[in-house]
Each structure stands twice: as structure tokens, then as C-alpha cells.
């Protein structure tokens, strides 16, 4: 069964360092997303991406975040200068569409980011 | 604005009991989508169901069933004959057009279900 894959599963980084989280969405999906979940809290939307551009973003997604689809398969989230409060589980997701059919998002297994 | 409320933060049941997880949502839209996701202890998010606002038929999938009632803005999830493997955090979620599209999904806080053998 096709799935969204994320690498790495766990990343530890020092405060102030740049980090790139990687995702391979399901191959026929057109919409891509990043969500984050601070430990013990709810899952929060960060950004959605369609047709090589950001289609929607939350107030959490500030200038230190960026997303990119560098080739036909990968979808990345970059955090430019990590802060302690960026420590969270980051989920990538993809969906076929955003409309009435196929809008259910399938999530990857997550990357746990720990900023020390 | 959209909001999802899961009033039960933690539930414990004994194996084989039935359990219902409550979800109440708020939206101004007439077209919206409701979801349930499961997060087992391993941490991944597993899609369980999507419902659109025009389809109020209840759905059953094996031991899982969902009761969608627009009149009370609720989308409750019942597990029949619970098993230890059902132990997880369950998230109810909503997407509507309030932010310009249906791409943003708002999650509830989650209900942690523990099934005791």
C-alpha cells in the first residue's frame, strides 16, 4: 500500500542550526502538507503546498520556515535557525485533492525534532 | 472560525467493552469535512475516516462506527468490543473553507484511549 515516508525518524540539532526534514509523498498526490505536534499537545497545521507554491500557511509558519519540492518526489521543510520551542514531531501529509473527493490527508510516520 | 472539541481527554475501558469517543465541532460553513485519525504509541497518524457535511449516513467499518449528527454538530466514534490494540490517542478533525480552501485541517486535542486486558 502506498505511504508517505519521512526521514529521518528522529533528529537532534543544536539551537540556532538549520535543519531540513524530508518527505516523500504518495506518488499520485498533488497536495502536500506539514503539521507539527508538540509533545502531548494537538496536531497543528503549518503549511500546504500545491503546484509548486504555498497555498495556505498558519501563523506558526513564520520566516524561519520554508518548504520546497526540489524534485518530482521529495517535499522538504527547512527551519533556518532552530529554537528550543521548535522541538516537536513534524508530520508530512499528502492528498489527491483538496476538494470534495480525495481530500483525506495521509500522514507519514513523523520526524521527531529535538532542539538542544 | 473552526473549532473541534474532544471533551474526553482520557478514557480507560476493559477489553471487550464498547467505548464511544465524543467530538463536537463548530463551523460557519455548510460544506465541510470531518475526520478521525488514530495515533498509536509509535507516534504515526493513521487515517480512519472522512465525512463530508452532506452525508449524514452513519458508517460502520468492522468494529468501528461513526455517528454524524448535524443537528448537534457531533461526529462521535464508537469502538465495539475493544481490544488492547485499540489503545491510542484518537483525534477528531475538521476542514472547511474558512481559510480560503479545504486544505487546512484543524485537530481536536485528542482522546487517549487505554484498553485494559
Amino acid at each position: 500500500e502506498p505511504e508517505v515516508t519521512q526521514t529521518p525518524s528522529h533528529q537532534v540539532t543544536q539551537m540556532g542550526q538549520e535543519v531540513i526534514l524530508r518527505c516523500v509523498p504518495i506518488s499520485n498526490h498533488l497536495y502536500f502538507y506539514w503539521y507539527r505536534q508538540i509533545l502531548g499537545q494537538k496536531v497543528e497545521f503549518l503549511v500546504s503546498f500545491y503546484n509548486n507554491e504555498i497555498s495556505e500557511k498558519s501563523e506558526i509558519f513564520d520566516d524561519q520556515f520554508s518548504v520546497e519540492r526540489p524534485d518530482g518526489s521529495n517535499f522538504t521543510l527547512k527551519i533556518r535557525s532552530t529554537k528550543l520551542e521548535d522541538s516537536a514531531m513534524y508530520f508530512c501529509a499528502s492528498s489527491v485533492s483538496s476538494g470534495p473527493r480525495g481530500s483525506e490527508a495521509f500522514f507519514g510516520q513523523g520526524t521527531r525534532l529535538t532542539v538542544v | 472560525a473552526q473549532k473541534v472539541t474532544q471533551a474526553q481527554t482520557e478514557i480507560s475501558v476493559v477489553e471487550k467493552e464498547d467505548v464511544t469517543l465524543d467530538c463536537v465541532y463548530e463551523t460557519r460553513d455548510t460544506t465541510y469535512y470531518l475526520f478521525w485519525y488514530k495515533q498509536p504509541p509509535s507516534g504515526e497518524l493513521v487515517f480512519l475516516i472522512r465525512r463530508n457535511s452532506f452525508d449524514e449516513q452513519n458508517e460502520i467499518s468492522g468494529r468501528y462506527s461513526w455517528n454524524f449528527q448535524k443537528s448537534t454538530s457531533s461526529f462521535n466514534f464508537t469502538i465495539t468490543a475493544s481490544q488492547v490494540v485499540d489503545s491510542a490517542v484518537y483525534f477528531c478533525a475538521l476542514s472547511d473553507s474558512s481559510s480560503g480552501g479545504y486544505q487546512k485541517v484543524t485537530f481536536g486535542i485528542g482522546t487517549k484511549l487505554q484498553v485494559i486486558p
Side-chain angles (χ1 to χ4, degrees), chain A residues 32-71:
Chain A
F32 314 114
Y33 314 87
W34 284 101
Y35 286 76
R36 81 170 184 194
Q37 184 184 30
I38 294 171
L39 187 63
Q41 298 187 24
K42 65 179 177 180
V43 180
E44 300 173 292
F45 171 82
L46 290 178
V47 66
S48 60
F49 191 86
Y50 170 71
N51 201 25
N52 279 320
E53 58 183 32
I54 290 173
S55 47
E56 202 168 339
K57 61 181 182 178
S58 72
E59 57 278 3
I60 303 169
F61 194 86
D62 61 24
D63 290 346
Q64 70 157 343
F65 291 96
S66 62
V67 289
E68 194 178 30
R69 190 153 159 84
D71 53 44

Side-chain angles (χ1 to χ4, degrees), chain B residues 11-27:
Chain B
I11 302 176
S12 287
V13 298
V14 176
E15 202 171 18
K16 296 183 186 170
E17 283 184 354
D18 299 347
V19 58
T20 296
L21 310 182
D22 298 333
C23 174
V24 174
Y25 61 92
E26 287 178 41
T27 176

Side-chain angles (χ1 to χ4, degrees), chain A:
Chain A
E1 188 175 318
E3 57 180 21
V4 176
T5 56
Q6 290 184 242
T7 54
S9 54
H10 190 191
Q11 175 133 10
V12 182
T13 190
Q14 285 203 320
M15 194 168 55
Q17 294 295 304
E18 175 183 285
V19 67
I20 297 176
L21 309 183
R22 301 180 195 280
C23 169
V24 178
I26 295 173
S27 62
N28 64 331
H29 286 189
L30 301 176
Y31 291 80
F32 314 114
Y33 314 87
W34 284 101
Y35 286 76
R36 81 170 184 194
Q37 184 184 30
I38 294 171
L39 187 63
Q41 298 187 24
K42 65 179 177 180
V43 180
E44 300 173 292
F45 171 82
L46 290 178
V47 66
S48 60
F49 191 86
Y50 170 71
N51 201 25
N52 279 320
E53 58 183 32
I54 290 173
S55 47
E56 202 168 339
K57 61 181 182 178
S58 72
E59 57 278 3
I60 303 169
F61 194 86
D62 61 24
D63 290 346
Q64 70 157 343
F65 291 96
S66 62
V67 289
E68 194 178 30
R69 190 153 159 84
D71 53 44
S73 58
N74 290 287
F75 179 52
T76 62
L77 173 70
K78 182 193 290 186
I79 309 175
R80 253 179 278 285
S81 176
T82 49
K83 308 187 195 85
L84 293 176
E85 54 265 35
D86 293 328
S87 296
M89 180 79 97
Y90 287 82
F91 291 102
C92 174
S94 67
S95 65
V96 172
S97 77
S98 68
R101 285 191 170 76
S103 67
E104 56 269 34
F106 291 87
F107 284 77
Q109 79 278 19
T111 292
R112 180 161 298 287
L113 176 65
T114 303
V115 182
V116 296

Side-chain angles (χ1 to χ4, degrees), chain B:
Chain B
Q2 51 173 254
K3 187 178 168 184
V4 178
T5 302
Q6 295 180 257
Q8 308 145 306
T9 51
E10 287 195 45
I11 302 176
S12 287
V13 298
V14 176
E15 202 171 18
K16 296 183 186 170
E17 283 184 354
D18 299 347
V19 58
T20 296
L21 310 182
D22 298 333
C23 174
V24 174
Y25 61 92
E26 287 178 41
T27 176
R28 291 193 185 117
D29 277 13
T30 54
T31 301
Y32 52 89
Y33 302 92
L34 296 163
F35 307 81
W36 276 95
Y37 285 88
K38 174 182 179 179
Q39 186 175 42
S42 48
E44 71 272 24
L45 283 169
V46 179
F47 167 79
L48 295 178
I49 190 171
R50 182 192 74 143
R51 220 29 182 210
N52 76 56
S53 51
F54 297 110
D55 183 0
E56 282 195 79
Q57 263 195 331
N58 291 328
E59 181 152 340
I60 297 174
S61 175
R63 294 184 298 106
Y64 294 170
S65 61
W66 290 269
N67 185 336
F68 176 29
Q69 291 199 346
K70 285 174 78 169
S71 59
T72 54
S73 297
S74 65
F75 186 44
N76 297 338
F77 172 33
T78 297
I79 303 174
T80 304
S82 58
Q83 299 175 1
V84 173
V85 294
D86 297 327
S87 297
V89 180
Y90 291 86
F91 291 97
C92 181
L94 165 75
S95 74
D96 64 13
S97 65
S98 60
S99 47
Y102 291 91
Q103 296 164 43
K104 175 183 175 182
V105 177
T106 297
F107 285 76
I109 195 72
T111 295
K112 184 177 181 180
L113 173 65
Q114 185 178 16
V115 180
I116 303 163

